Amino acid sequence: MSTYLLVHGAWHSGQCWERVVPLLESAGHRVVAPSLTGHGDKAHLLSPEVGLDTHVDDIVGLISEAGLTEVILVGHSYAGLVISSAANQVPDRIARLVYLDAMVPEDGESAADVQPMTQALIDRAARSGGGWRVPPLPELPPPSGLFGVTDPADVAWLRAMLSDQAVRCFRQPVRLDNPAVNAIPRTHIHCTVGVPEGIARRHVPETQPNGTPAQVWELATGHDCMITMPVELAELLLKLG
């Protein structure tokens, strides 16, 4: 039995994994899919003080309090930053990092460094209201849709779970200064359909930080593959368990 810890991206909640969790559990694995502070059942905690460090503390705290070990830590989108910094704190608890169509940072980088279009969102928030809330991205014409979701029923379901993101999440830097984190194997899963203009994916080096060949898989679907291709995503994740 493996333990999968699924971390949602910006604006989302743990509910986005609803179609993937039972597929992993039915294969005999333990699955945890929390909502980060300011989202889902913790949406009421959103404030200007919520940042990347808050979300890293959410994940590290959960791992420690639940006594989780040999964790397959999956981060979607913005959560690539979250899982990186979390692994930096508790590398001995992490069996593998999975970057699911995610930002892949270097030490000291923020979301705005990794994905430059994020700066435009920060600037837009600065011109509105209190200047610290970033609303979800708008729905685009197919195939981009709403975070890659185009089915009307799924779009409605997804929109109901989305909430604002605090600017500080995009400004705080990742910490990757623990040499032990480099030993953790990585898997990258890229979603290849409907990538919006302005979104730049970094090239994955042929060699991982631990010296082994890079592992890069693709899903022919939009960004929120846990909604659009849950079965196929689960099949890939189960290869790691």
Side-chain angles (χ1 to χ4, degrees):
M1 184 183 75
S2 296
T3 297
Y4 291 86
L5 177 45
L6 312 177
V7 188
H8 66 81
W11 303 292
H12 291 58
S13 76
Q15 185 183 3
C16 72
W17 302 102
E18 191 173 283
R19 297 173 180 175
V20 175
V21 170
L23 299 174
L24 300 178
E25 289 180 336
S26 65
H29 302 295
R30 181 177 185 178
V31 188
V32 186
S35 288
L36 299 172
T37 297
H39 302 280
D41 59 344
K42 301 173 185 173
H44 62 288
L45 299 176
L46 186 67
S47 75
E49 285 70 45
V50 172
L52 173 61
D53 289 351
T54 310
H55 293 158
V56 173
D57 288 345
D58 288 341
I59 298 305
V60 172
L62 189 158
I63 291 172
S64 299
E65 291 165 15
L68 304 182
T69 59
E70 294 297 308
V71 174
I72 298 174
L73 186 55
V74 182
H76 179 241
S77 197
Y78 152 80
L81 281 68
V82 179
I83 67 170
S84 296
S85 269
N88 191 68
Q89 292 192 33
V90 287
D92 57 311
R93 302 290 188 99
I94 311 302
R96 179 174 294 272
L97 292 171
V98 181
Y99 292 91
L100 180 58
D101 218 33
M103 299 183 187
V104 184
E106 300 291 341
D107 181 41
E109 290 188 321
S110 69
D113 295 319
V114 180
Q115 189 57 259
M117 65 84 63
T118 306
Q119 187 59 51
L121 303 178
I122 295 172
D123 295 341
R124 188 179 308 161
R127 295 192 296 267
S128 67
W132 62 271
R133 303 174 74 110
V134 180
L137 298 177
E139 184 177 356
L140 300 172
S144 296
L146 184 64
F147 295 100
V149 178
T150 56
D151 177 81
D154 286 346
V155 167
W157 179 61
L158 173 58
R159 184 178 285 115
M161 80 176 73
L162 298 178
S163 57
D164 290 354
Q165 190 85 9
V167 162
R168 198 172 186 185
C169 297
F170 299 144
R171 285 179 169 161
Q172 285 190 317
V174 165
R175 296 300 176 206
L176 282 170
D177 54 3
N178 184 345
V181 78
N182 292 327
I184 302 173
R186 299 181 175 190
T187 297
H188 302 263
I189 302 176
H190 294 162
C191 299
T192 61
V193 174
V195 180
E197 185 177 349
I199 299 294
R201 177 182 289 130
R202 284 184 168 174
H203 172 71
V204 178
E206 293 184 4
T207 303
Q208 299 188 56
N210 67 359
T212 62
Q215 185 174 64
V216 182
W217 295 332
E218 293 185 347
L219 285 173
T221 189
H223 185 57
D224 278 6
C225 56
M226 71 288 292
I227 296 174
T228 59
M229 277 193 172
V231 173
E232 293 84 352
L233 173 59
E235 288 174 349
L236 291 181
L237 294 178
L238 287 171
K239 291 181 180 181
L240 306 174

